[in-house]
């Protein structure tokens, strides 16, 4: 799991896929941090992403390093309005703070991926590394 988290820290822009009535929806997202084995992200309750995760919490994400090492991760989102997590994100991320202002913003929410499967691979010919968490 540490290898996955380190990769996400170094390549924090991911492309997150959700389902919208059976159709795939993909958009760029920003990984925030890992805490207690949970990978944290944030969004707005007014966004389609939130509605899609509420209706179907399955998701996948992918990101790639400059050296073309790729991470694919599949799991389920846990929608969570934890005030401490929201404060940590707001305090540590100027972009998120510029959008939502404060952790008390009622539209600002968080979600985590608590259990999933990740595959880290490159084009070296070495076999992919698989992780479950």
């Amino acid at each position: 799991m540490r290898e996955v988290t380190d990769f996400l820290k170094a390549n924090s822009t991911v492309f997150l896929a959700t389902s919208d009535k059976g159709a795939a929806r993909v958009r760029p997202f920003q990984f925030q941090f890992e805490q207690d084995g949970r990978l944290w992200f944030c969004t707005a309750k007014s966004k389609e992403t939130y509605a899609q995760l509420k209706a179907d919490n399955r998701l996948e994400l992918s990101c790639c390093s400059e050296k073309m090492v790729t991470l694919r991760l599949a799991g389920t989102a846990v929608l969570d309005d934890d005030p401490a997590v929201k404060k940590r994100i707001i305090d540590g991320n100027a972009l998120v703070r510029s959008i939502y202002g404060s952790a008390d913003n009622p539209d600002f929410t968080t979600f985590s991926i608590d259990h999933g499967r990740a595959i880290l691979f490159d084009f070296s010919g070495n076999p992919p590394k698989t992780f479950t968490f």
Side-chain angles (χ1 to χ4, degrees), residues 89-125:
I89 292 171
I90 288 289
D91 289 349
N93 190 312
L95 174 61
V96 174
R97 190 170 47 255
S98 74
I99 296 167
Y100 299 107
S102 76
D104 296 332
N105 183 328
D107 195 35
F108 176 53
T109 192
T110 59
F111 65 94
S112 65
I113 306 171
D114 298 3
H115 304 286
R117 180 176 179 196
I119 301 169
L120 196 58
F121 62 97
D122 59 31
F123 297 100
S124 67

Side-chain angles (χ1 to χ4, degrees), residues 17 19 23 34 36 38 41 53 56-57 64 68-70 78 99 106 111 113-114 122 127:
S19 177
E34 178 272 334
D36 301 324
R38 299 172 77 179
F41 299 83
L53 290 174
D56 181 350
N57 67 345
C64 190
M68 296 303 293
V69 177
T70 301
V78 177
I99 296 167
F111 65 94
I113 306 171
D114 298 3
D122 59 31

Side-chain angles (χ1 to χ4, degrees), residues 12-24:
S12 63
T13 299
V14 304
F15 290 89
L16 180 79
T18 58
S19 177
D20 183 17
K21 299 175 187 129

